[in-house]
Amino acid sequence: LDFMVKAKTATSTLPPVYAKGAAITVLSASLSPVRAYVNLRIERNEGVSAQQFELLLADWRDAVLVDAQGNQLTGLSEFLISAQEEGKSADYSFTFLPTDAREAYIAPTVIDVNDNWFADMSQAIKVR
């Protein structure tokens, strides 16, 4: 099996996205024909309760790789918490199955009043 992989190295991290009481920063993202990797840092903003922050972390633990409309592109292969400072921050590492999508976002999942899970595109971060 032969395929070409174009390597891109980001010169800096993207600025954080502020949503629901936290700063979410993409530390790195790489989407290839083999796997898709996304590493995030989630930091609690001042004034946000510990309980609100824990709920936000839970939403991001179940993050999905989606298109601009919130449709899931591929499944999760592995999730790791690579670092955590209790009540202050967490670094999440996601490994997804490969996707050839031209555009991809990582988005936390939330549940509506009818117990339906969906990608919260108001917090989505473009990774490709």
Side-chain angles (χ1 to χ4, degrees):
L1 174 67
D2 293 330
F3 57 87
M4 182 180 288
V5 177
K6 294 180 184 178
K8 288 185 191 179
T9 303
T11 56
S12 64
T13 59
L14 297 171
V17 171
Y18 296 93
K20 295 190 176 182
I24 300 99
T25 305
V26 176
L27 301 175
S28 64
S30 171
L31 283 72
S32 77
V34 178
R35 288 283 189 262
Y37 303 96
V38 180
N39 295 298
L40 302 177
R41 173 166 293 137
I42 304 168
E43 298 175 286
R44 179 175 147 192
N45 292 343
E46 283 191 41
V48 173
S49 74
Q51 183 180 17
Q52 288 172 310
F53 186 63
E54 284 302 316
L55 290 172
L56 179 81
L57 289 177
D59 290 347
W60 278 99
R61 269 192 286 275
D62 295 324
V64 289
L65 202 60
V66 295
D67 62 16
Q69 290 74 44
N71 301 309
Q72 189 168 343
L73 295 172
T74 187
L76 181 68
S77 172
E78 183 176 41
F79 168 77
L80 298 169
I81 299 173
S82 54
Q84 187 167 7
E85 189 175 346
E86 195 66 39
K88 294 185 180 185
S89 68
D91 289 4
Y92 287 175
S93 177
F94 299 90
T95 304
F96 295 97
L97 298 174
T99 180
D100 60 355
R102 295 179 150 273
E103 190 174 58
Y105 297 79
I106 188 163
T109 56
V110 293
I111 190 168
D112 66 14
V113 294
N114 297 321
D115 291 334
N116 297 314
W117 289 90
F118 62 94
D120 183 355
M121 294 307 289
S122 70
Q123 297 183 73
I125 304 169
K126 189 173 183 176
V127 293
R128 178 192 278 171

